[in-house]
Amino acid sequence: MRSIIATLFLFFYVLPVKSQTFDFLDLPVVNELWIEFKDTVGSNINMTPAGSGQTWNYGNVFTVHDTIQYLQQPLVTAPPFIAAQFPQASSVTAGLNAGDFIFYRADIAGMFIEGNYVNAGFDVFGNTYNLIKYSSALLFLPTPFDTGNVVQNTASYNYIFPDSSLLPNAQVRITYNIFQDFEADAQGSLVTPLGSYNSVIRIKE
């Protein structure tokens, strides 16, 4: 399955016609809605080679499987005891399930995900957690970013929990590292079921 606007494993970002550079002022802001929709047959979308001056017409070639809306909201939208876990965040969006939240931070280097709150909880080696708190934030959108640019980022988070099966009163630390590569490999115009856009860069992640 592939996703398009804002994700397609290759991401398309709409920019002002006068410039192909994606910069800090283009980042999502509070009360701005971003929409992602996915096709059910990945083979319907064929990726073109890298390069400029391209036209991508995806207006009628895929069936929408799922539509996700990302409304950037002020931090007060989340319960205070959850928002307090992410002091660096500047905005929040609702997750896919009720009571879930994703926390974002924006600065001149781009937009980052500071962490997630999962209301239902999740298992980490037999322990239940609700929070993913990045010690090094997950990159969502790099800035400034232009055709031909490559940006790399390493995000990480960890959990520490007791495990007496190793030694009495032993503590186990589990660290997850995520290595990210963003490459702006093409630019051109894009046609989607939501509309047409004349100034777009494609980001391969």
Side-chain angles (χ1 to χ4, degrees), residues 117-190:
Y117 178 82
V118 180
N119 188 49
F122 52 91
D123 180 82
V124 180
F125 291 89
N127 299 272
T128 301
Y129 292 89
N130 297 92
L131 292 175
I132 296 176
K133 295 178 64 175
Y134 291 100
S135 53
S136 298
L138 186 71
L139 181 59
F140 183 66
L141 292 171
T143 59
F145 209 48
D146 204 344
T147 308
N149 290 170
V150 176
V151 172
Q152 296 179 319
N153 182 66
T154 300
S156 61
Y157 61 98
N158 62 75
Y159 298 101
I160 300 175
F161 50 84
D163 189 343
S164 297
S165 65
L166 299 174
L167 290 171
N169 302 315
Q171 296 281 319
V172 175
R173 180 188 183 102
I174 303 294
T175 300
Y176 297 87
N177 293 308
I178 302 170
F179 303 98
Q180 298 176 278
D181 286 285
F182 291 79
E183 179 185 356
D185 74 331
Q187 65 84 210
S189 59
L190 175 67

Side-chain angles (χ1 to χ4, degrees), residues 73-128:
Q73 302 178 75
L75 292 178
V76 294
T77 305
F81 76 95
I82 300 175
Q85 300 296 319
F86 305 98
Q88 302 296 321
S90 54
S91 65
V92 62
T93 63
L96 295 180
N97 300 308
D100 292 356
F101 298 94
I102 305 170
F103 292 84
Y104 299 83
R105 165 177 59 86
D107 58 35
I108 60 172
M111 192 166 204
F112 297 83
I113 295 177
E114 288 290 307
N116 303 57
Y117 178 82
V118 180
N119 188 49
F122 52 91
D123 180 82
V124 180
F125 291 89
N127 299 272
T128 301

